[in-house]
Amino acid sequence: MAISGSQSSLREANRALIVDTIKKFGGLTQVELVAATGLSPATISTIVKELLGGGIVDTQSTTRSGRRAQMVTLARRVGLVAGVQFGHRHLKVALGDFGRTVVAEQTMPLPVDHRSDTGLDRAALLVVELLERVGAPIDELLTIGLTVPAPVDVSTGEISVHGIMRGWDGQQLGQVLSERLARPVVVDNDANAAALAEHELGAGRGYQDVVFVRMSYSTGAGIMLGGHLHRGFAGTAGEIGHVQVDPRGDICRCGNRGCLDTVVSSTALLDLLRGSHGDLTLRDLVSRALAGDLGCRRVLADAGERIGGVVATLAGTLNPQLVVVGGELAAAGEVIVEPLRQAVLRHVAPNTVAPLEVVPGELGEQAEVTGALLLALRATDVASDYETISAPPDDPSSPERTDRTASATLPAPAPERDTT
Ligand SMILES: [Zn+2]
């Protein structure tokens, strides 16, 4: 039966919608696909069969409401993405697939004040090493998500406030890493990435308006409004570390005076303890606080209160439903989260519709690299690459994925009747 042009393009559109929906959620049953796309069960069934035949999706048994069901995920064959997270003292790289499974991960320490050229070299080498570890050729890698602890202009991949990451300013970071790996790279701020991860997979699931507070070597926030990341024009939205809390305070790395970061950065917190506790690391501070050390608990509690005061202003302006608290310092749990919560709630006008909640993150120190993977998955247009990857893997007539005639070998589905 001949398929008319409009039917054929409707079929393409439905297929793209299904592939995009699976990508967005990581994996869905066919019943869930019906609900998420508005297409009929018959259409979903036909297209999923077709995608299975083309090696684009896999199915595996799962249970839903006590019944057995088939979970549909994008196939590993579609490719892998990499997440690269630069912290102040470490580099973390993860490989993930379109089912949102992390297939390999590695962390390495970095020297203080590491530089972009050597840092990005290490990241590229680590990505290649992880690909080798899982036996994947480099052409299985589709996109890389890169996060740094500084505000980023995502249109250029450049850090948009100089001085915050010395040795990284003025570089188009995405382009530099992209040249090393010959793959597209998306760059973002680490708090934004973590906000996205907590929103999709962690404590922020089901909420539309979420502020993620990242307390680490420095302090920042990622803002989700209406379910979307709000970065601001130059990527500096949520830079709470550079809100002034003390007009007579110290000069900050950013050039301003008395920023929150001059009071609660790791340097400032550890300075408070040097006389009484000697030289500690940020991890020492957290672990000693958890072990009951009163001085360390006091330092973290005061930091939580100080950060909470600034978060309250942000929450008063944006009216989020939820504040999620993460970053290395959040590992101290309620020692720091409770004073932060109290400070926020004390300053925010209480509404009766949806009282603001302040909760710890669920993803812990995985939030940033998970967000980097999600950013890479989002940036990969699987649906329009469909034809290039739809050739059966063992078809000798199409040795390369770039064979754009391959989709012609797919069986034609029944004419589409859905109008939704
Ligand atoms: Zn500052």
Side-chain angles (χ1 to χ4, degrees):
M1 184 182 66
I3 296 173
S4 73
S6 65
Q7 279 173 332
S8 168
S9 61
L10 181 58
R11 192 185 81 190
E12 289 294 327
N14 285 338
R15 201 156 54 188
L17 175 62
I18 290 171
V19 170
D20 270 347
T21 306
I22 298 168
K23 189 181 99 173
K24 185 174 166 207
F25 288 92
L28 291 170
T29 66
Q30 295 203 19
V31 173
E32 289 165 340
L33 270 171
V34 169
T37 60
L39 298 174
S40 72
T43 303
I44 296 285
S45 172
T46 302
I47 294 181
V48 166
K49 249 181 229 150
E50 189 184 307
L51 292 169
L52 260 174
I56 305 304
V57 302
D58 283 335
T59 57
Q60 48 205 271
S61 292
T62 182
T63 52
R64 282 289 189 273
S65 315
R67 292 174 174 218
R68 279 187 37 196
Q70 292 292 309
M71 171 77 86
V72 186
T73 56
L74 292 185
R76 162 74 189 275
R77 183 174 164 258
V78 170
L80 296 170
V81 295
V84 175
Q85 180 215 355
F86 278 94
H88 279 84
R89 298 299 309 277
H90 77 275
L91 161 65
K92 190 183 278 188
V93 175
L95 292 181
D97 63 19
F98 281 82
R100 294 177 167 187
T101 304
V102 173
V103 296
E105 188 184 296
Q106 180 77 48
T107 303
M108 65 161 59
L110 290 175
V112 186
D113 283 338
H114 48 83
R115 300 179 51 82
S116 64
D117 46 3
T118 50
L120 292 171
D121 275 344
R122 285 178 190 180
L125 288 171
L126 205 46
V127 168
V128 171
E129 193 185 310
L130 289 185
L131 285 167
E132 283 170 4
R133 199 184 293 174
V134 300
I138 180 95
D139 58 346
E140 262 191 44
L141 180 68
L142 298 177
T143 312
I144 299 129
L146 167 66
T147 70
V148 291
V152 172
D153 176 359
V154 294
S155 67
T156 62
E158 265 188 61
I159 291 174
S160 54
V161 178
H162 285 191
I164 291 180
M165 265 182 98
R166 292 191 196 100
W168 288 69
D169 292 335
Q171 296 285 325
Q172 299 203 341
L173 304 176
Q175 196 186 325
V176 173
L177 186 58
S178 180
E179 279 165 9
R180 283 168 174 61
L181 289 166
R183 287 294 178 282
V185 178
V186 285
V187 193
D188 212 324
N189 167 260
D190 56 3
N192 287 348
L196 181 66
E198 288 285 355
H199 176 259
E200 295 211 2
L201 302 167
R205 269 171 306 174
Y207 292 83
Q208 289 294 297
D209 302 293
V210 180
V211 167
F212 175 82
V213 180
R214 184 167 191 275
M215 309 180 300
S216 180
Y217 290 84
S218 59
T219 304
I223 300 166
M224 303 287 306
L225 293 180
H228 298 281
L229 264 178
H230 175 76
R231 298 181 173 91
F233 189 75
T236 69
E239 281 300 309
I240 58 171
H242 300 281
V243 168
Q244 192 184 58
V245 295
D246 181 1
R248 292 167 178 268
D250 291 344
I251 299 297
C252 180
R253 286 175 300 162
C254 74
N256 284 338
R257 185 163 196 172
C259 294
L260 178 64
D261 242 11
T262 64
V263 182
V264 301
S265 69
S266 58
T267 312
L269 299 184
L270 299 175
D271 276 353
L272 293 171
L273 289 158
R274 190 154 288 117
S276 56
H277 289 64
D279 280 328
L280 299 181
T281 64
L282 201 63
R283 285 187 190 280
D284 294 336
L285 169 60
V286 170
S287 59
R288 288 198 187 193
L290 286 170
D293 181 291
L294 291 177
C296 292
R297 292 174 79 90
R298 178 61 190 265
V299 163
L300 289 176
D302 289 350
E305 187 178 347
R306 211 68 191 264
I307 296 166
V310 175
V311 172
T313 308
L314 187 64
T317 311
L318 298 176
N319 183 209
Q321 300 156 280
L322 185 71
V323 172
V324 178
V325 185
E328 278 96 333
L329 291 180
E334 291 299 311
V335 174
I336 189 165
V337 174
E338 175 61 13
L340 189 153
R341 181 185 295 121
Q342 291 307 325
V344 172
L345 298 180
R346 189 158 61 234
H347 296 295
V348 163
N351 79 72
T352 53
V353 178
L356 181 60
E357 295 173 64
V358 180
V359 300
E362 288 179 5
L363 303 178
E365 294 186 14
Q366 289 299 99
E368 292 80 9
V369 80
T370 303
L373 285 171
L374 290 175
L375 287 166
L377 288 172
R378 284 180 163 208
T380 309
D381 190 353
V382 178
S384 76
D385 286 347
Y386 175 76
E387 289 190 12
T388 65
I389 55 180
S390 61
D394 53 355
D395 182 351
S397 68
S398 55
E400 288 179 4
R401 288 178 182 181
T402 48
D403 181 355
R404 299 196 73 89
T405 62
S407 65
T409 63
L410 288 170
E416 183 56 66
R417 287 205 183 81
D418 278 303
T419 52
T420 44

